Amino acid sequence: MSNENILSNNGNDVSYLEYKGKHTGILGWLLSTDHKRIGLLYLISLSIFLIVGVTFGFLMRLELLTPGRTIMDPQTYNSIFTLHGVIMIFLFVVPGLPAVFGNFFLPILIGARDVAFPRLNLLSWYLYVVGGLLAILSILLPGGPADTGWTFYIPYSVRTNTNVIPALFAAFILGFSSILTGVNFVTTVHRLRAPGMDWFKMPLSVWSLYATAWVQILATPIIGITLLLVAIERVFGVGLFDPALGGDPVLYQHLFWIYSHPAVYIMILPAMGVVSEIIPVFAHRTIFGYKFIAMSSIAIALFGSLVWAHHMFTAGMSDTGQLIFSLLTMIVAIPSAIKVFNWVATLYKGSIDLQPPMLYVLAFIFQFSIGGLTGIMQGVLSVDIQVHDTSFIVAHFHYVMFGGTGFGFFAALHYWFPKMFGKMYNVKLAKRVFWAMFVGFNTLYFPMFIMGWLGMPRRYYDYLPEYQIYHVISTIGSWILVSALFLMFGNFIYALFKGAKVTEKNVWGGETLEWQIATPPIHENFIDIPVVTESPYQYKDNELVLQTQEAK
């Protein structure tokens, strides 16, 4: 993918960081409709919420270090794990990659100057901030933070006296933000692709963002309406889900998971796009099976929307229903396996350069594979009955969400940081931090598989003494992981102020459009809109070198 005009003209305009439009100073950021600035606003907001969410998770692990009370009472523990779930799911993992890197790079990757609806894009960020602040505000209001868990299961969420309503409205508003982002991305991909960029010349991360956007648009309204109905039931006593009022709690679970299982793919699909983007760059090889990877993103979004009831095998369901949802769960594993196969095939015989982004991607493949395989195990009815609501589920979920999406987010941050800011972080430190994070993550979550298999329930404040060794190991893992996160953010912050300046357009040797424009990008990305003539990930020179070496 190339365009000579881009290379010759860039550098004649100021970067988006220095651009002065109608507003200057802080207003130049808060009122900017530039997709890159909005991406950075998301990055700052997400980082703050991530720190809050990680702090709550850290406190939970400290409490579970010993049986009985360690640092907090049961009510506080229930509130802490609810807030940890709400913040990490709705404020970091779901919006994470699309909001930050999708906003920043989607228009550049398809050769556009901005997203289709820049003002709507800015509104999405404001809705995100309002929703996040409302969730935090529920901690301070009389009644205390919600203690229902992030699933808001009925009937407890209708009956508890804690601040469920603010938490519900926070999730409701965040849903609107997600829908608007989805509408913007779908329209942008359909309407603003550069001349010559047909569907199969799009970078694979764009395919992932496109598939994710459709799930955001189609599935998110369901959870919005469901949460609104819970609020109506709490305030007006209308019998919708609470059996004491004549409602059906299983209906709530269906409505909740019709959104929340596809939401898992909202979280993981963009990370898969990042992996597909990074592997060919650092393996110095053409991506293996481009069309299979692209189509598997669509297949995951489609089949992932049909398996919600596998979360409810123990809630009451016919044998036929259990059989169908078990089968569909097996089927959804196929497109995920296609991706993993093609990633590994791309690495085969590649000249692999273990830079920080590549290390995080390799960890993604390892940890996501563990998360995916344990997910298939739960699709088996007999196994699901055994491990339902145990810490085995917590381990599986975190291996997919943190080991997958979280590490995908960090891979993207290390990959695109020099392009976004024109500064380079300390690469040697970043590699060391990666290993600390990898060890900390697996020390924290792998013991949960074992104790869950042995019967340790999830979300419990207390436990039997035989589980303590696993909790101690997990808690030590949390100390290592938090230390690594602290060092990683310290490395990035130091780089912003003291890091080596980067002016080179293509610091990693990528072949997609973002590596052919100025570093950092100019205000509207391109002086001349590029004409795309080739598919991404050609790496013809690298392939030629490899063939020559093999011939020798």
Side-chain angles (χ1 to χ4, degrees):
M1 190 176 294
S2 63
N3 184 280
E4 294 301 324
N5 288 332
I6 306 171
L7 294 172
S8 61
N9 287 334
N10 276 339
N12 295 332
D13 206 344
V14 295
S15 80
Y16 78 101
L17 294 168
E18 298 167 342
Y19 178 78
K20 293 180 181 177
K22 184 178 178 182
H23 303 282
T24 57
I26 189 70
L27 288 180
W29 284 83
L30 295 178
L31 299 177
S32 173
T33 55
D34 183 347
H35 66 100
K36 299 180 289 298
R37 289 197 172 195
I38 293 172
L40 290 195
L41 289 176
Y42 270 115
L43 178 60
I44 295 167
S45 315
L46 276 159
S47 300
I48 293 170
F49 288 127
L50 173 65
I51 291 168
V52 175
V54 168
T55 302
F56 287 144
F58 180 73
L59 293 174
M60 286 165 58
R61 286 311 325 164
L62 272 183
E63 168 52 40
L64 293 172
L65 183 63
T66 61
R69 179 182 176 124
T70 307
I71 60 167
M72 65 182 81
D73 58 43
Q75 180 61 30
T76 305
Y77 175 81
N78 288 344
S79 299
I80 291 289
F81 84 67
T82 298
L83 287 167
H84 170 74
V86 169
I87 290 171
M88 293 302 286
I89 295 291
F90 294 110
L91 292 167
F92 177 68
V93 186
V94 169
L97 280 154
V100 177
F101 301 105
N103 261 313
F104 198 106
F105 285 104
L106 175 68
I108 298 175
L109 285 165
I110 62 171
R113 296 193 191 283
D114 207 322
V115 293
F117 308 115
R119 291 180 181 175
L120 206 62
N121 201 19
L122 182 61
L123 175 63
S124 298
W125 178 72
Y126 275 104
L127 289 174
Y128 168 81
V129 171
V130 170
L133 291 178
L134 196 55
I136 301 296
L137 189 64
S138 71
I139 304 173
L140 308 173
L141 293 174
D147 57 353
T148 59
W150 72 277
T151 54
F152 299 108
Y153 264 15
I154 303 292
Y156 188 69
S157 63
V158 174
R159 300 176 186 176
T160 178
N161 293 322
T162 55
N163 288 318
V164 173
I165 294 289
L168 289 173
F169 274 107
F172 186 79
I173 293 169
L174 290 168
F176 263 104
S177 171
S178 182
I179 293 169
L180 295 182
T181 299
V183 169
N184 226 335
F185 284 3
V186 167
T187 313
T188 302
V189 171
H190 275 272
R191 303 293 299 169
L192 298 182
R193 298 198 309 277
M197 180 174 279
D198 61 30
W199 286 93
F200 290 111
K201 287 179 183 171
M202 289 197 310
L204 287 164
S205 57
V206 176
W207 272 104
S208 294
L209 290 167
Y210 178 73
T212 304
W214 275 115
V215 180
Q216 288 174 288
I217 294 169
L218 297 176
T220 310
I222 300 171
I223 191 67
I225 293 168
T226 305
L227 297 179
L228 193 61
L229 291 175
V230 175
I232 290 172
E233 188 161 16
R234 274 186 67 94
V235 175
F236 299 106
V238 180
L240 297 167
F241 304 123
D242 187 350
L245 299 172
D248 182 357
V250 177
L251 173 62
Y252 172 82
Q253 292 194 29
H254 276 290
L255 292 172
F256 179 82
W257 288 113
I258 284 174
Y259 162 77
S260 296
H261 192 78
V264 171
Y265 300 103
I266 294 175
M267 304 176 210
I268 195 68
L269 268 172
M272 290 174 162
V274 168
V275 172
S276 303
E277 209 68 63
I278 290 175
I279 281 182
V281 175
F282 293 98
H284 302 98
R285 286 207 63 199
T286 304
I287 192 81
F288 184 86
Y290 170 91
K291 288 187 178 179
F292 282 98
I293 296 178
M295 288 297 103
S296 64
S297 294
I298 304 298
I300 289 172
L302 176 63
F303 291 117
S305 301
L306 303 175
V307 299
W308 75 90
H310 70 200
H311 293 271
M312 301 168 55
F313 286 150
T314 61
M317 190 186 303
S318 70
D319 292 345
T320 307
Q322 289 185 330
L323 185 64
I324 290 171
F325 282 108
S326 177
L327 180 63
L328 287 170
T329 303
M330 300 300 167
I331 291 174
V332 80
I334 296 173
S336 300
I338 288 173
K339 283 186 183 293
V340 173
F341 174 80
N342 284 288
W343 293 332
V344 175
T346 305
L347 292 170
Y348 178 64
K349 288 192 176 180
S351 179
I352 298 171
D353 185 6
L354 291 177
Q355 294 296 328
M358 189 62 167
L359 289 172
Y360 281 98
V361 161
L362 295 176
F364 171 99
I365 295 173
F366 174 74
Q367 289 158 178
F368 175 74
S369 296
I370 293 175
L373 288 171
T374 52
I376 294 173
M377 289 170 65
Q378 293 162 57
V380 179
L381 293 169
S382 56
V383 175
D384 185 84
I385 302 296
Q386 162 73 16
V387 300
H388 188 83
D389 265 348
T390 67
S391 64
F392 188 94
I393 307 298
V394 180
H396 155 72
F397 186 71
H398 282 82
Y399 263 84
V400 175
M401 291 297 96
F402 197 162
T405 305
F407 274 64
F409 186 92
F410 300 146
L413 195 53
H414 284 86
Y415 181 56
W416 280 313
F417 185 91
K419 175 61 67 177
M420 295 167 78
F421 299 102
K423 293 289 183 71
M424 179 53 86
Y425 49 84
N426 185 326
V427 173
K428 189 179 289 184
L429 177 61
K431 290 181 179 178
R432 290 173 180 169
V433 168
F434 161 77
W435 285 111
M437 195 172 300
F438 180 75
V439 170
F441 172 84
N442 286 285
T443 308
L444 168 55
Y445 291 111
F446 197 81
M448 294 186 188
F449 280 127
I450 302 171
M451 61 176 152
W453 191 262
L454 295 174
M456 173 68 209
R458 66 170 169 172
R459 298 176 178 165
Y460 272 33
Y461 170 76
D462 203 358
Y463 53 83
L464 296 172
E466 54 260 42
Y467 296 116
Q468 187 178 7
I469 181 64
Y470 305 106
H471 281 293
V472 169
I473 295 171
S474 278
T475 304
I476 291 172
S478 73
W479 298 343
I480 300 171
L481 182 60
V482 168
S483 301
L485 285 169
F486 180 76
L487 286 171
M488 184 184 72
F489 280 112
N491 193 11
F492 283 130
I493 293 169
Y494 183 85
L496 284 177
F497 295 99
K498 302 281 187 180
K501 193 172 181 180
V502 177
T503 55
E504 187 182 348
K505 289 187 175 76
N506 197 351
V507 67
W508 299 123
E511 294 201 350
T512 40
L513 283 176
E514 81 273 31
W515 300 114
Q516 300 181 40
I517 62 174
T519 301
I522 61 172
H523 175 57
E524 290 190 330
N525 308 332
F526 307 94
I527 291 177
D528 297 317
I529 293 296
V531 176
V532 178
T533 56
E534 295 180 332
S535 301
Y537 323 118
Q538 290 295 305
Y539 297 98
K540 291 176 181 174
D541 294 340
N542 296 330
E543 293 291 329
L544 188 63
V545 169
L546 285 172
Q547 288 170 12
T548 306
Q549 289 174 345
E550 286 177 1
K552 291 178 180 177

